[in-house]
Amino acid sequence: MPQRSATNKVMLEVVKTACSNCNLRELCMPLGLDHREMEKLDEMVSARHRIRRGEHLYRAGQRFDAIYAIRSGFFKTDVLIEDGRDQVTGFQMTGELLGLDGISTETHSCNAVALEDSEVCVIPFSHLEGLSREIRTLQHHFHKVMSREIVRDHGVMMLLGTMRAEERLAAFLLNLSQRFTARGYSPAEFYLRMTRDEIGSYLGLKLETVSRAFSRFQEEGLIAVQQKYVRILDTAGLKKLMSHQRG
Amino acid sequence: MPQRSATNKVMLEVVKTACSNCNLRELCMPLGLDHREMEKLDEMVSARHRIRRGEHLYRAGQRFDAIYAIRSGFFKTDVLIEDGRDQVTGFQMTGELLGLDGISTETHSCNAVALEDSEVCVIPFSHLEGLSREIRTLQHHFHKVMSREIVRDHGVMMLLGTMRAEERLAAFLLNLSQRFTARGYSPAEFYLRMTRDEIGSYLGLKLETVSRAFSRFQEEGLIAVQQKYVRILDTAGLKKLMSHQRG
DNA sequence: GAGCCGGTTTGATCCACGTCAAACCCGCTG
DNA sequence: CAGCGGGTTTGACGTGGATCAAACCGGCTC
């Protein structure tokens, strides 16, 4: 049985977490490690955390010393500026990493909040750096993950800089669909874990605009929405909408 | 005298580039290396490239195998999507790294174009990975640089998602000022290397809007502009403008 | 020095999205 | 089952920035 102790308001389990038989392996960690390397990887993960819906995994300003791999659940990250404005910078799901932004200053630069009850693996960053000096493939994998994050952000910048409301929402839905698919869920129907307001914040729109876009998509038969439940009826239609609006 | 050979349309110099006595060291590479480590660093940089104004350092779709440190000059990076829309994702200056986005897929995901005659150090990525398995401080430095890029991108997302035109331009000017300062140039006056259109693309605005915002700032005595030459007259005013517009 | 050309400025008009406000929906609690 | 509250939808209206268009500016070539 795992030991338990309360840290902040969060339950910490000191378990022997085993990457070696985690079925998210191919999402979060590199393939093709030999037996010894796999054992080391298991040691790298120091613990698992359960985070309840609405709780923070970390907050902007806190000292950074670990990154987190999402075992299950759903998160958002957001940044806040003095004058009260804030923006959701991303939504993260199973198999994705959280906390990469903290490396640069050794301080988290955004908040990470669970949008549903979730579980993460805690990967102390010094362990990760140590191990990636030993295991090439791990090193390379990690670099790719960071780079992918940069590319992803460029995509969002593109979205925010050049697309109109409906294109943004279409892009957002298609992106979710694709990520759910990669995790073995239906590409065509899913529950949104976030509110209209959070979607709007992420997409640089007001919640009313998001809501109207949803309604419009429904009218046009592209999707069926019922609150947080979304069914995509016409993927091609959504794609078309994205590319050749205006121009 | 360095050997010369023409590669693409770009001059390549096979010189013994020496990080060890490069005065950008503190900007692009880690401090506190001992003599032997410094020598290895020198070997890591395989060559220097000269890029003339308007030329591409690399293009989206090309195979990635090196990152580039800007020795001198000024670049922009931009992404292009099918339907013809494009967006500038960043402006890079002396001491900054280019090409990090290519690691994830081993293919460059954006274009890098020199906005003035420039010179870069070519750092083959496999060398960098190899060396950072040996030198902890180099490894850690590199991770910080990648992470900083992510944080920077979040800042841009914030800008694009929540700020209005004049706030965006103010943020842009203050950011440039700060980066020039860090490089020993005047914080208050500089030449813009990019056009109004490129600024607009970066800030998610049309060039007319950028131009109007410049004019407005000038009317209000915040800056003096003459084409690409900008003098900041009231830094505090620009900052104030950013924070407490609309509220 | 005339003429051209890319980039910029400025003005007039338009429209997508924001703002404000009311109603609605659904799950909870007493 | 009434009442409440967070989230959502929908409508009416206002506005910041896009669009369209014309003029301007400085550097270039012939």
Side-chain angles (χ1 to χ4, degrees):
Chain A
M1 276 309 243
Q3 282 183 280
R4 281 168 184 269
S5 65
T7 310
N8 290 336
K9 285 170 277 172
V10 156
M11 295 306 283
L12 189 150
E13 295 184 49
V14 185
V15 285
K16 179 130 183 54
T17 44
C19 294
S20 42
N21 57 24
C22 172
N23 55 7
L24 298 170
R25 210 158 67 242
E26 62 284 8
L27 284 170
C28 99
M29 284 296 146
L31 300 163
L33 301 186
D34 64 31
H35 183 64
R36 266 199 52 249
E37 291 171 334
M38 212 62 216
E39 277 184 350
K40 287 187 174 176
L41 205 60
D42 286 352
E43 283 165 31
M44 177 179 79
V45 175
S46 71
R48 281 195 247 161
H49 265 167
R50 286 185 187 287
I51 315 287
R52 239 116 23 106
R53 174 161 191 232
E55 286 178 342
H56 280 70
L57 174 58
Y58 56 78
R59 288 171 195 273
Q62 283 180 353
R63 179 165 180 77
F64 161 87
D65 44 31
I67 62 173
Y68 303 92
I70 305 175
R71 269 184 70 83
S72 66
F74 206 95
F75 287 82
K76 71 167 177 183
T77 49
D78 58 14
V79 289
L80 197 73
I81 47 177
E82 315 79 63
D83 58 7
R85 279 181 288 192
D86 68 342
Q87 176 156 29
V88 172
T89 53
F91 297 105
Q92 295 79 19
M93 51 207 275
T94 304
E96 297 178 332
L97 295 184
L98 275 165
L100 299 177
D101 57 279
I103 301 168
S104 78
T105 58
E106 270 140 35
T107 302
H108 288 289
S109 70
C110 63
N111 303 296
V113 184
L115 296 183
E116 62 182 26
D117 292 358
S118 303
E119 199 178 5
V120 300
C121 297
V122 181
I123 308 175
F125 189 58
S126 55
H127 292 202
L128 177 57
E129 284 195 330
L131 207 54
S132 69
R133 264 177 274 123
E134 292 179 43
I135 308 177
R136 280 187 63 139
T137 47
L138 175 63
Q139 179 196 37
H140 194 58
H141 182 83
F142 178 61
H143 291 161
K144 283 189 165 191
V145 169
M146 292 214 89
S147 174
R148 199 191 309 145
E149 183 71 15
I150 292 172
V151 175
R152 193 193 68 81
D153 289 347
H154 288 175
V156 178
M157 287 167 54
M158 187 88 209
L159 179 146
L160 292 171
T162 72
M163 294 187 185
R164 48 192 57 221
E166 294 191 5
E167 297 177 89
R168 295 185 200 189
L169 188 63
F172 175 71
L173 292 173
L174 290 170
N175 174 266
L176 277 186
S177 160
Q178 180 235 306
R179 284 154 76 197
F180 281 123
T181 310
R183 280 154 188 80
Y185 300 110
S186 164
E189 49 185 309
F190 43 83
Y191 278 94
L192 299 171
R193 272 71 171 184
M194 68 297 279
T195 66
R196 300 286 186 265
D197 195 28
E198 287 164 334
I199 298 174
S201 172
Y202 180 62
L203 298 178
L205 302 169
K206 294 286 136 174
L207 71 300
E208 293 95 328
T209 306
V210 174
S211 176
R212 277 184 242 270
F214 269 120
S215 303
R216 196 124 208 287
F217 285 178
Q218 177 140 264
E219 278 167 34
E220 291 172 357
L222 295 167
I223 63 172
V225 227
Q226 246 183 121
Q227 282 95 242
K228 310 224 145 146
Y229 176 71
V230 174
R231 211 146 41 88
I232 296 181
L233 304 175
D234 182 0
T235 312
L238 287 176
K239 281 185 186 148
K240 207 166 77 188
L241 186 102
M242 276 186 56
S243 49
H244 80 154
Q245 193 108 317
R246 52 144 294 144
Chain B
M1 278 310 239
Q3 280 184 282
R4 281 165 183 272
S5 66
T7 311
N8 290 337
K9 285 171 275 173
V10 156
M11 295 308 282
L12 189 151
E13 295 184 48
V14 185
V15 285
K16 180 129 182 52
T17 44
C19 294
S20 43
N21 56 27
C22 172
N23 55 8
L24 297 171
R25 210 159 67 244
E26 62 284 8
L27 285 169
C28 98
M29 282 296 146
L31 299 164
L33 301 186
D34 65 30
H35 182 67
R36 266 199 52 250
E37 291 171 335
M38 211 64 218
E39 275 183 351
K40 287 187 173 174
L41 206 60
D42 287 352
E43 282 165 33
M44 178 181 76
V45 175
S46 73
R48 279 194 249 161
H49 265 166
R50 286 185 187 287
I51 314 288
R52 239 118 20 110
R53 172 159 193 235
E55 285 179 342
H56 280 70
L57 174 57
Y58 55 79
R59 289 170 195 272
Q62 283 180 354
R63 179 165 179 77
F64 161 87
D65 44 30
I67 62 172
Y68 304 92
I70 305 176
R71 268 185 70 83
S72 67
F74 205 96
F75 287 81
K76 71 167 177 182
T77 48
D78 60 13
V79 290
L80 197 72
I81 46 178
E82 315 79 64
D83 58 8
R85 280 182 288 192
D86 67 342
Q87 177 156 28
V88 171
T89 53
F91 297 106
Q92 296 79 18
M93 49 206 275
T94 304
E96 297 178 332
L97 296 184
L98 276 165
L100 299 177
D101 58 277
I103 301 168
S104 79
T105 58
E106 269 141 35
T107 301
H108 288 290
S109 70
C110 63
N111 304 297
V113 185
L115 297 183
E116 62 182 25
D117 292 358
S118 303
E119 199 179 5
V120 299
C121 297
V122 181
I123 307 176
F125 189 59
S126 56
H127 292 203
L128 177 58
E129 283 194 330
L131 207 54
S132 69
R133 265 178 271 122
E134 292 179 44
I135 309 178
R136 281 187 63 139
T137 47
L138 175 64
Q139 179 196 37
H140 194 57
H141 181 83
F142 178 62
H143 291 161
K144 284 189 165 191
V145 169
M146 292 214 90
S147 175
R148 198 191 309 146
E149 184 73 14
I150 292 171
V151 175
R152 191 192 71 80
D153 288 347
H154 288 175
V156 178
M157 285 167 55
M158 187 89 209
L159 179 146
L160 293 170
T162 73
M163 294 187 185
R164 49 193 54 223
E166 295 191 3
E167 298 179 88
R168 294 185 200 189
L169 187 63
F172 175 71
L173 291 174
L174 290 170
N175 174 266
L176 277 186
S177 160
Q178 181 236 305
R179 284 155 76 198
F180 280 124
T181 310
R183 280 154 188 81
Y185 299 110
S186 166
E189 50 185 309
F190 42 83
Y191 278 94
L192 299 171
R193 271 72 171 184
M194 68 296 279
T195 66
R196 299 287 186 266
D197 195 28
E198 286 164 334
I199 297 174
S201 172
Y202 180 61
L203 298 178
L205 303 168
K206 294 287 136 177
L207 71 299
E208 293 96 327
T209 306
V210 174
S211 176
R212 277 184 242 272
F214 269 121
S215 304
R216 196 125 206 289
F217 285 178
Q218 176 140 264
E219 278 167 33
E220 290 172 358
L222 295 168
I223 64 171
V225 227
Q226 244 182 126
Q227 281 98 241
K228 310 225 144 142
Y229 176 71
V230 173
R231 210 146 40 88
I232 297 181
L233 304 174
D234 182 0
T235 313
L238 286 175
K239 280 185 188 149
K240 206 166 75 188
L241 186 104
M242 276 186 57
S243 48
H244 79 154
Q245 193 108 314
R246 53 147 293 146

